[in-house]
Amino acid sequence: ASQLASTLLGDDIMARRELFFFSDPRDPRDMFKWLARYLAADQGLRTRVQRTVDFAVNGKQFMMEGLRNTSEVAARMASRLGSSQGVQETLRFVFENWDGSGPHAQRAAEIPMLSRIVYATIFVEVFHQNWGRETAVKVARMRRGKTLDPAVVDAFVRLAASEEFWKG
């Protein structure tokens, strides 16, 4: 987080939220909008250009390293707390994308099932809390087969159709 904050020279919490939940890093237009909005936004043109070029060259590696580090630390903490190997593996691969574009490049069934479920719930919960059920379902469907496991999304969509599901 501190490395990203020093790179962004701005609101790193909002920038990370926008990048993680609302941008598609594979879409150059999304990335350009994100860079224009968050990267050294209050700085002069020279600084903004330098930071943008650096991020264009190193940003993907930088972000993947951050996700890998976060998940590895979570797995080590779980180990130190005496959590099972299953919990440790779930945390180690929690940021993996169904399509293999995650920090450990695990793909589809290589990703532990619990990691796939937890990763989907991260998105579902954020969108549900902020914009409601319909948005949560819409985002899950949009990410189906890309970042999220199609089977997990399909199960969520089926459950989401029940009023009982949302009572908890």
Side-chain angles (χ1 to χ4, degrees):
S2 62
Q3 287 176 315
L4 183 58
S6 68
T7 299
L8 291 171
L9 298 176
D11 186 348
D12 66 295
I13 293 171
M14 182 64 75
R16 279 184 284 142
R17 188 190 84 149
E18 290 292 320
L19 182 62
F20 192 69
F21 291 110
F22 301 105
S23 301
D24 181 354
R26 293 166 283 203
D27 182 344
R29 292 172 301 188
D30 261 10
M31 290 311 301
F32 181 76
K33 286 184 217 172
W34 183 84
L35 287 167
R37 185 168 185 187
Y38 292 105
L39 199 61
D42 296 333
Q43 303 298 310
L45 181 61
R46 180 181 174 149
T47 301
R48 292 197 80 187
V49 169
Q50 287 173 333
R51 297 293 170 122
T52 300
V53 169
D54 182 54
F55 197 86
V57 172
N58 301 307
K60 181 178 180 178
Q61 178 184 344
F62 180 71
M63 297 305 289
M64 287 297 169
E65 180 181 324
L67 292 172
R68 264 191 311 275
N69 290 344
T70 300
S71 61
E72 290 297 328
V73 167
R76 283 196 304 261
M77 288 291 292
S79 173
R80 289 180 183 160
L81 292 170
S83 297
S84 70
Q85 189 64 34
V87 168
Q88 294 171 49
E89 287 302 296
T90 296
L91 293 170
R92 181 169 288 111
F93 298 109
V94 75
F95 296 121
E96 291 305 301
N97 293 316
W98 179 255
D99 63 8
S101 63
H104 292 88
Q106 298 292 302
R107 174 182 190 84
E110 296 172 342
I111 306 166
M113 177 56 83
L114 286 177
S115 298
R116 291 183 254 160
I117 293 169
V118 170
Y119 193 55
T121 61
I122 291 169
F123 287 96
V124 167
E125 178 64 15
V126 167
F127 285 94
H128 173 249
Q129 288 298 320
N130 290 289
W131 296 279
R133 300 176 192 180
E134 290 176 16
T135 302
V137 171
K138 179 181 174 185
V139 167
R141 284 182 171 142
M142 286 173 31
R143 292 179 180 262
R144 184 186 185 279
K146 298 172 188 153
T147 55
L148 302 179
D149 176 348
V152 172
V153 170
D154 293 347
F156 165 67
V157 169
R158 278 192 308 277
L159 290 169
S162 166
E163 199 60 38
E164 193 65 29
F165 175 77
W166 299 101
K167 288 185 179 178

